[in-house]
Amino acid sequence: MDGVPRVPEQGRPEDSAALRFSVLGPVRAWRGADSLPTGSPQQRALLAALLLREGRTATAGELIDALWGEESPSQALAAVRTYASRLRKVLSPGVLVSESGGYAVRLTDESGVGGSLDLALAQELAADAEKAKATGDLCHARALLNKTLSLWDGEVLASVPGPYAETQRIRLEEWRLQLIESRLDMDLEQGCHAEAISELTALTAAHPLRERLRELLMLALYRSGRQAEALAAYADTRRLLADELGVDPRPGLQELQQRILQADPGLAEPSAPLAPETAAAPVRPAQLPATVPDFTGRMSFVSELSDVLAAASASEGRVMAVSALAGIGGVGKTTLAVHVAHRSRSAFPDGQLYVDLQGAGARAVAPETVLGSFLRALGTADAAIPDSLEERAALYRSTLDGRRILVLLDNARDAAQVRPLLPGMEGCAALVTSRVRMVDLAGAHLVDLDVMSPEEALQLFTKIVGEERVASERESALDVVAACGFLPLAIRIAASRLAARRTWTVSVLAAKLADERRRLDELQAGDLAVKATFELGYGQLEPAQARAFRLLGLADGPDISLAAAAAVLDLPVEATEDLLESLVDTSLLESAAPGRYRYHDLVRLYARACAERDEQPPGERAAAMSRLLDFYLATTSVVYAIERPGDRLVDHLEAAEYPGLRFTEGSAALDWLYNEASPLLACVRQSADTDRLRRAVDLLWAAKDLTESGANSHQYEATARAMCDATRTAGDSRAEGRARTTFTNVLLVSGRIQQAAEQAQLAMELAASAQDAMAMSWAANDRGLTLMHQEQYADGKPFFERAIEGYATIGNRPLEALSLCNLSRAHLGMGNVAMAVEIAQRALAAYLEIGQTLRLANGHFTLGIALTRAGRHTEALSQFSDALSVFGSHRQRLWEGTTNFRIAEVHLAARRPAQAAQHAEQALALGCIGGDRMQGTVLTLLGRALTMLGQVDRARVCWREALSLYEQHGGAAQAEEVRALLTPATAA
């Protein structure tokens, strides 16, 4: 340690001289930032004994027993006094005090400056964690426990002698383990079971007889879909307890095993009370429309709104409640509001008022007109109703005084239309529905209504169509509600059409809705039409809003960032944000997150139809999509260049006319790339059949990190396949060569080596025919990799050498170093270990010289493999550690997993099975480059480590799973190796 205290400073900020002590590690003391000498081991033992008494006095006899026990020296008392005197000189006055023939440590000195002890802080944090857990705030509780555990700094009371110190070490280590168990328990409660397995594997290896850790490991394995391993872990535990202690597992562990065997689902709303009725008023309006008999779902909203209304009716002296529901047209605002109003009628015994304010149309109802209608309903004679809005509003509020009335204001345009219609009296309440979020309606309880969940949508469809028809075609029914975007109005229309046509099947309707260009036309029945609902909102937009609505709907991604939207509209970011926020206010656009926007699927289709119909000139649609593609290409090129200084790939890409973003640091660049992954890849696919094809392929190439990160691999693969097909159809050999290069990378990462070999060979041929030097060298390197994975090292070596020569010719030193790394691996496979180490060192030196960041990890990784084969395990671990740090900071999840596997190999070779198992578990949790075959390799190694730890049953489960993977995905030699391990004689 460097002497920097881990105990956070306490007291006032100006107390720079405050004393701080630590016992959760070496016994140390600081004044401010300065370390204080604590003397000999016995002197530190005295200080520790006093600190652990938390201010209570310890007699001289107790201190002698604490330091020496029954074998105290003859001068023990004098020694205690000497130690105390020395400590008093070091510490602040008034901290170590003599009283009643003994000594005590007071953390507050004579000047009133307070000190701190890491153990006391840990106890406070742990208590706060318990309180947070008791209130259900598990996230905060976990954070507090992690902060508590971070106070430990190695062995408690390290190097402190004496029986008292030994007793306290045992006590505090037990407490630490209890805290870890509590935190892991909360990890599992919050669904972090996969991440917990690695830590639990290491802990059970370190504490094999601790049954609670075994129980948590079993539960984590089971919840991760590894039932066989969970049961094997129980078998290992039972055998270990029998062999070591002659006992059976405790009942809780036995019960968990039975629940796992039975696949117990347990492992994997009250309604608001009604207010008492009061006497009815002489005139009691009951204007609510009928509720629909097939009302479905929305239970959380029903409960929330019902509670608000019930509380408003029951309170005295409280301002009336206003709840404002907002959402897209057709989302079910009116249906929900009417249902809740009927449910709450008994809480408003003096009546319910209702009006359709027609705010979505061209002519919204004037407030004074509504007030006249309401006053008549409340018993006011026409002759008594004044003319002006202000007078009518005042009379309205006076009439409601002393009554409990619910007012439902449906389809409001804005807050200005609503304000005069609010009751304003305690005991009354208002429900407002609108397509606009009424953020300017003071005191309103705002509710944003989204589409239905898939389950609710299917229930609504089934209620209208009938259980019998849906049950036999459940998948088609799910397709129908998905095509409706889970929008209640669309589902009701589709279901009503099907219910009226007895000869149609659900699949017939699903097929009709599958055609996006016809979908909106299909979604109409009688006077109900989804398109008409959207048309009302679109018709009220200003020209600039309407243009933004049309053009943004052209992009295929699930959402769009503010910067990307600015590119589509060719406007400054500030002006774009104003337009988009105004569209959010109309519910035609949704704010997915700060700075991100999205359409409902059906609204997007409507926006595109409007673009085809209204956008002028016609070429503006293509121009908008071209600007979006340029924005992504330019920005992704910047990210690539930041991640790989000196790599000249970006110099060989198609030029982008529209500018992209600039970044001041690598983390922000990576944040952008991963946040934009889905819309970026959607833009590539959308450009496949256009004159933007070459730029789209180059964007995919520059975004290659998305496949190696693991999180976006499937999307990237689908896009790469689509671009291979599009470039082949277009007959563009240059673009096709590059597309197949991206596809080769996908196949290599996922371990489909034979397919990767075919694609790499084809990419080489296409690049050669197009004289594309960059793609030729890249494809040659990939071809060498496929041969190396097939253990044809000598055949792969010339391809790496060709790639090195090609990269040198075009001046791309980082990629030249990358091919050197692969050449080192080839020599390693050929048995030339010394040569492999030498070449790997050259590659690493090249990366260091050119200031590489991400690719530097490849250099460390390759050298680590070579050093492992050379038996230089300590050096290998150092290289892998450096690689892991870089891969982690650049969010290369699959490379992190692969590096953990290599670290596990080193630990196993050095006969450190617990560490090997821990890193193998981390590799499984993260995933690895190489896909399912590589997972089999990791499981094989994990089984070997578990066997060395005595967990034979669990090891055999791992081997059986590995064998299944090899048999499914190729790997005859590896499968034979695992079969030998599963043979009893071999395992023994």
Side-chain angles (χ1 to χ4, degrees), residues 45-67 77 80 84 96-106 164:
L46 175 69
L47 177 59
L50 294 174
L51 287 169
L52 289 169
R53 284 180 173 268
E54 300 178 354
R56 299 188 304 277
T57 301
T59 65
E62 289 173 332
L63 291 172
I64 290 172
D65 288 341
L67 270 63
L77 180 58
V80 166
L96 198 158
V97 297
S98 302
E99 56 184 26
S100 304
Y103 300 95
V105 167
R106 306 278 191 255
Y164 180 77

Side-chain angles (χ1 to χ4, degrees), residues 552 555-566 573 576-577 579-581 583-585 588-600 604 628 631-632 635 661 663 668-683 712 715:
L552 291 176
D556 269 352
D559 62 2
I560 191 167
S561 68
L562 179 58
V573 169
T576 301
E577 184 174 24
L579 281 174
L580 268 56
E581 287 299 323
L583 289 174
V584 170
D585 287 341
L588 286 172
L589 191 66
E590 300 173 21
S591 179
R596 301 199 72 84
Y597 301 88
R598 69 185 176 205
Y599 285 95
H600 181 272
R604 186 200 303 276
L628 179 62
F631 167 77
Y632 283 136
T635 310
L661 300 176
F663 303 98
L670 282 177
D671 285 341
W672 179 88
L673 180 64
Y674 292 121
N675 288 337
E676 291 293 322
S678 292
L680 183 153
L681 293 173
C683 183
N712 307 102
Q715 284 188 71

Side-chain angles (χ1 to χ4, degrees), residues 807-826:
Y807 286 137
T809 301
I810 58 179
N812 199 323
R813 291 202 63 205
L815 291 180
E816 183 182 349
L818 175 64
S819 292
L820 275 172
C821 288
N822 294 331
L823 182 61
S824 168
R825 299 278 300 278

Side-chain angles (χ1 to χ4, degrees), residues 276-284 348-351 402-404:
E277 292 197 8
T278 59
V283 179
R284 182 178 178 275
F348 299 94
D350 297 326
R403 295 185 178 185
R404 283 187 287 169

Side-chain angles (χ1 to χ4, degrees), residues 748 777-789 792-794 796-801 803-804 807 814-830 835-836 839-840 843-844 847 855 858-859 861-863 865 895:
L748 282 169
S777 300
W778 198 296
N781 180 75
D782 285 347
R783 185 69 181 98
L785 283 173
T786 62
L787 290 163
M788 186 169 70
H789 281 294
Q792 300 176 37
Y793 303 105
K797 176 174 169 288
F799 287 100
F800 294 135
E801 292 169 341
I804 291 168
Y807 286 137
L815 291 180
E816 183 182 349
L818 175 64
S819 292
L820 275 172
C821 288
N822 294 331
L823 182 61
S824 168
R825 299 278 300 278
H827 276 288
L828 204 61
M830 296 162 63
M835 177 64 74
I839 294 174
L844 181 58
Y847 281 134
R855 286 302 177 195
N858 292 90
F861 180 83
T862 302
L863 182 54
I865 294 174
W895 276 109

